Amino acid sequence: MSDGNTSEFLYVLLVFLSVNWDAHVHSEAFDRECDAQSKRLSTSSSGSNSSEHLKLWDHDDASSLTFVDSTSHGVPKLEAYLYYFGIRGRRQLGPKLIYRTSTDVFTPPSGPAQNLRMMQLLPVYEHAKLGENNLWATIRHETVGILDRLQIQLTSVDLVRFRWKEETEDGRGKTATSRTTIWIGVLPDSTTGDAAFDSSEDILQLLKKHDISDVDVAYHESTAQHLTDPVLYAPVDDLHPLKDVIDWVTTALSLPIAGLKTLHMQGTLGFYFKVGEDLYGVAARDVLFPAEQGNFPYIYQRSTFKNVVLMGNRAFDDLLTSIKAHIGTLNNTVSILEKRVASYTIGAQAGNQQAARNLATTQADVGKKETIEVLRKFFVTMKRDWAEVNNRVIGHVVWAPPITGLTSPYNYTQDVCVIKLDKKKFLNFKGNVIDLGPEIEPGKFMSLMYPRYDAQSSFDYPENRLYEPVSILSAASIKEPDNQDLEGDPVRFVIKRGHTTAHIHRILGSFDSVETAVHAYNNDSGPFSRGGDSGSLIVGPKREFIALLTGGTGPTDSADITFGTSMEWLWNDVIKPEFPGAVLYFDTPLD
């Protein structure tokens, strides 16, 4: 966020107020969050001193202040340093101007004794087009994409206006206000006028696509910290206070995804792969391409940018609801425990040894209060940093072949799309790992995988819950059972964790099916998949990639039989030919 951006400050402040109202988060942790955010937003860079001011009239070369570029679109020295004079306070140099598309004429002062024009920074309260359908958020996100591709080292992108007084012949002066301006902050000495000009041309073309011609672009140097998009968390263990609610915002597999323009269509990210230093994700095409758009091949083009977001709006609302539900449950639990503590304390004081033992155990459980505070803080963070859908963009589609049924010669359904992921979101990347989650205890998990007491178990439950496939099960082996159920029927058990249904173990059946067909193991655990699980990865107990979930048969909200496409065929025959050098296994996190 740039200095003095009042509208952005008020927006964030309103977000905090809404969090406090909706969640009733009246706690010290919440107050501390508000205080820290307020301090961060109100912090601004100090102005330049008078000695720097006087250096402006020294000889015009690189030794005066910092370098002023001499490229064809470079700004004259006095304009670079004095165009924004006054923004940071009276008699203070403003940020250094790099380039601007505005047509107003800057008249440089003749010397340090002449009064300088004072510039005022204004918010944008309304705009006929940018204010409709959250368009500015879309433009801002695509602008950042343009700058990143052109390797502009930006620090902020804001929507602002400027106001100043111009001289008139009668000496009274008049007030002038600039057009709405996309104000871009860049690191000092990192961007030339020519580089800014080139990226401005792309941004103006972006605006033109939306029939916008009354917005300027300007670049200034900035070292202020801006509010960055949130970063996905690392998976957590069973002892972490957020273990029940954090899954959807970690880098483990089965992230819930949707298209930026199709937020009502929810699916799951299946698996990752790398080509060089680029990170990609694989999902089912039908998650991101509505049927009404046609079944045509898609290859990434700037004119048809297709962003992918973490969680559609419904999924995000469900996450907030689940956090509040956990807080409510823990509040009730703590209330009961505190009553027990009071009762056991009386007994212990009377010499009752059993009461004393119960008191020690119960007092430890009252520590759940700390978990409540962590959950409250997490709720505030989600509402503040993740509610804006553009903050949840994790990448864009680069390739999606048409959906084809019973693809010759293997008779598999081809329902796949590849997403180039934003590595900045995946700083806590752990590779292709499935978080087995806290819902099922490890012992029960293992017994579900091998229900017969005489079964030879080759399933090793990971200590950190992160289950990492290390090989691909051949299509031929999928139809070969490797176990028996309780009735002695031949089966192959599988694991899946999708957006809608958590890890559930099922029999891999229908060995004469042309698809990878998954049948329910018993009637008590519910369906293997529901709507929203499309794109999930199906894996085996011996750390094998097995299939990508593509659909099922049965009721509209669940599936009696779930179908997937063989990973062997999908990886070797579909993805690798299109992405030479693709790597599925990760020895180390991202560089």
Side-chain angles (χ1 to χ4, degrees):
M1 179 177 177
S2 60
D3 304 335
N5 193 339
T6 307
S7 62
E8 192 75 32
F9 174 81
L10 291 176
Y11 168 77
V12 176
L13 181 59
L14 287 172
V15 170
F16 278 130
L17 291 176
S18 68
V19 171
N20 191 53
W21 175 257
D22 293 339
H24 307 288
V25 188
H26 301 295
S27 65
E28 292 182 5
F30 178 76
D31 291 339
R32 287 195 298 270
E33 275 293 300
C34 290
D35 183 59
Q37 182 70 1
S38 177
K39 288 179 180 177
R40 183 157 65 245
L41 293 175
S42 62
T43 301
S44 62
S45 300
S46 60
S48 302
N49 58 39
S50 57
S51 63
E52 288 178 328
H53 186 179
L54 293 176
K55 288 181 183 177
L56 290 173
W57 280 265
D58 292 346
H59 53 91
D60 195 2
D61 61 18
S63 66
S64 179
L65 291 177
T66 57
F67 176 72
V68 178
D69 76 84
S70 57
T71 60
S72 58
H73 295 95
V75 178
K77 175 182 172 182
L78 289 180
E79 182 174 357
Y81 287 101
L82 297 180
Y83 185 81
Y84 292 126
F85 182 82
I87 279 181
R88 293 172 174 167
R90 295 187 62 84
R91 312 307 299 172
Q92 298 288 345
L93 289 178
K96 176 184 171 185
L97 171 67
I98 304 299
Y99 174 79
R100 62 187 176 94
T101 64
S102 55
T103 57
D104 59 282
V105 177
F106 174 80
T107 303
S110 57
Q114 183 178 341
N115 288 333
L116 302 178
R117 186 191 70 178
M118 298 284 292
M119 182 74 81
Q120 182 183 4
L121 182 65
L122 304 174
V124 176
Y125 295 107
E126 60 181 6
H127 186 276
K129 292 186 179 295
L130 292 176
E132 294 180 354
N133 300 320
N134 204 28
L135 181 57
W136 163 236
T138 300
I139 295 292
R140 180 180 58 196
H141 181 79
E142 294 186 15
T143 295
V144 171
I146 290 171
L147 297 169
D148 283 344
R149 287 193 295 275
L150 295 177
Q151 299 183 336
I152 301 294
Q153 298 183 51
L154 75 156
T155 58
S156 60
V157 176
D158 296 297
L159 199 65
V160 301
R161 295 175 301 144
F162 302 96
R163 179 182 294 160
W164 63 92
K165 280 196 172 183
E166 293 183 343
E167 297 280 343
T168 58
E169 292 183 358
D170 59 8
R172 301 177 65 179
K174 67 175 183 179
T175 299
T177 303
S178 75
R179 302 198 304 179
T180 296
T181 302
I182 298 177
W183 205 37
I184 299 169
V186 298
L187 290 175
D189 300 324
S190 68
T191 306
T192 65
D194 283 358
F197 169 81
D198 292 338
S199 54
S200 292
E201 290 295 291
D202 288 351
I203 295 170
L204 293 176
Q205 285 299 314
L206 169 64
L207 293 169
K208 188 176 180 180
K209 283 198 312 182
H210 295 278
D211 197 27
I212 297 173
S213 58
D214 61 345
V215 173
D216 289 322
V217 181
Y219 293 74
H220 67 285
E221 288 190 346
S222 172
T223 56
Q225 294 294 321
H226 66 298
L227 296 178
T228 58
D229 288 346
V231 174
L232 292 168
Y233 294 84
V236 301
D237 59 28
D238 287 327
L239 301 179
H240 198 283
L242 298 177
K243 61 183 174 62
D244 294 311
V245 297
I246 199 173
D247 283 349
W248 290 0
V249 286
T250 74
T251 59
L253 293 181
S254 300
L255 292 178
I257 61 171
L260 181 61
K261 297 182 180 179
T262 54
L263 294 172
H264 62 288
M265 298 173 60
Q266 192 72 53
T268 302
L269 188 68
F271 60 92
Y272 303 111
F273 69 88
K274 279 179 65 177
V275 178
E277 296 304 317
D278 293 328
L279 180 66
Y280 295 88
V282 176
R285 175 191 167 109
D286 62 0
V287 171
L288 301 169
F289 291 80
E292 60 269 20
Q293 290 185 2
N295 190 26
F296 305 106
Y298 175 89
I299 297 177
Y300 165 73
Q301 296 178 3
R302 292 179 64 179
S303 59
T304 57
F305 212 73
K306 201 169 192 68
N307 280 327
V308 178
V309 303
L310 180 72
M311 295 178 287
N313 289 336
R314 184 180 64 182
F316 181 72
D317 291 341
D318 288 346
L319 173 61
L320 295 182
T321 299
S322 71
I323 299 170
K324 288 191 287 187
H326 276 83
I327 292 173
T329 299
L330 287 174
N331 273 329
N332 292 335
T333 301
V334 168
S335 177
I336 294 172
L337 290 175
E338 287 177 336
K339 291 178 182 179
R340 290 178 180 174
V341 166
S343 175
Y344 292 145
T345 298
I346 294 173
Q349 290 173 345
N352 187 320
Q353 296 300 314
Q354 184 61 50
R357 288 191 291 271
N358 291 343
L359 175 61
T361 301
T362 307
Q363 283 177 325
D365 287 341
V366 175
K368 288 181 171 60
K369 279 185 174 181
E370 296 178 4
T371 298
I372 292 173
E373 292 307 313
V374 174
L375 283 165
R376 284 174 173 164
K377 184 176 180 180
F378 184 63
F379 181 87
V380 171
T381 299
M382 290 296 105
K383 189 92 173 185
R384 181 194 65 207
D385 295 345
W386 296 77
E388 167 58 54
V389 67
N390 284 282
N391 285 353
R392 303 201 303 271
V393 172
I394 60 172
H396 61 273
V397 179
V398 292
W399 181 67
I403 296 176
T404 56
L406 304 181
T407 304
S408 177
Y410 301 100
N411 293 329
Y412 293 124
T413 297
Q414 178 177 275
D415 182 1
V416 63
C417 73
V418 175
I419 304 158
K420 186 173 183 181
L421 299 171
D422 180 359
K423 285 175 58 176
K424 294 192 296 293
K425 291 280 191 182
F426 290 81
L427 298 178
N428 296 309
F429 182 70
K430 301 297 181 183
N432 278 311
V433 295
I434 295 176
D435 188 341
L436 297 182
E439 295 88 356
I440 303 177
E441 292 293 329
K444 184 175 181 180
F445 197 109
M446 297 180 71
S447 67
L448 287 170
M449 293 300 301
Y450 290 88
R452 291 177 61 90
Y453 69 89
D454 57 347
Q456 291 271 328
S457 174
S458 60
F459 176 73
D460 184 16
Y461 192 96
E463 180 182 354
N464 60 0
R465 278 193 350 212
L466 300 182
Y467 188 68
E468 182 178 13
V470 295
S471 64
I472 296 176
L473 187 67
S474 70
S477 297
I478 289 176
K479 299 181 181 181
E480 298 174 358
D482 68 345
N483 209 327
Q484 291 182 336
D485 64 12
L486 289 173
E487 287 71 38
D489 287 334
V491 297
R492 179 181 291 275
F493 286 94
V494 295
I495 304 169
K496 173 198 69 69
R497 191 168 198 182
H499 157 59
T500 309
T501 55
H503 52 270
I504 304 176
H505 325 289
R506 292 295 183 268
I507 296 172
L508 200 63
S510 279
F511 300 117
D512 60 346
S513 173
V514 295
E515 295 284 346
T516 300
V518 182
H519 294 239
Y521 168 52
N522 58 51
N523 294 325
D524 299 328
S525 302
F528 183 71
S529 63
R530 296 181 184 273
D533 286 338
S534 184
S536 301
L537 182 66
I538 301 173
V539 300
K542 299 177 182 178
R543 299 174 68 185
E544 316 111 317
F545 289 94
I546 292 181
L548 190 73
L549 193 154
T550 56
T553 61
T556 55
D557 64 339
S558 62
D560 300 324
I561 301 176
T562 297
F563 294 102
T565 299
S566 162
M567 183 69 176
E568 181 187 42
W569 174 76
L570 180 64
W571 178 248
N572 292 328
D573 294 6
V574 178
I575 294 177
K576 288 186 71 175
E578 189 68 26
F579 294 87
V583 175
L584 186 62
Y585 307 106
F586 302 89
D587 295 330
T588 59
L590 292 178
D591 294 331

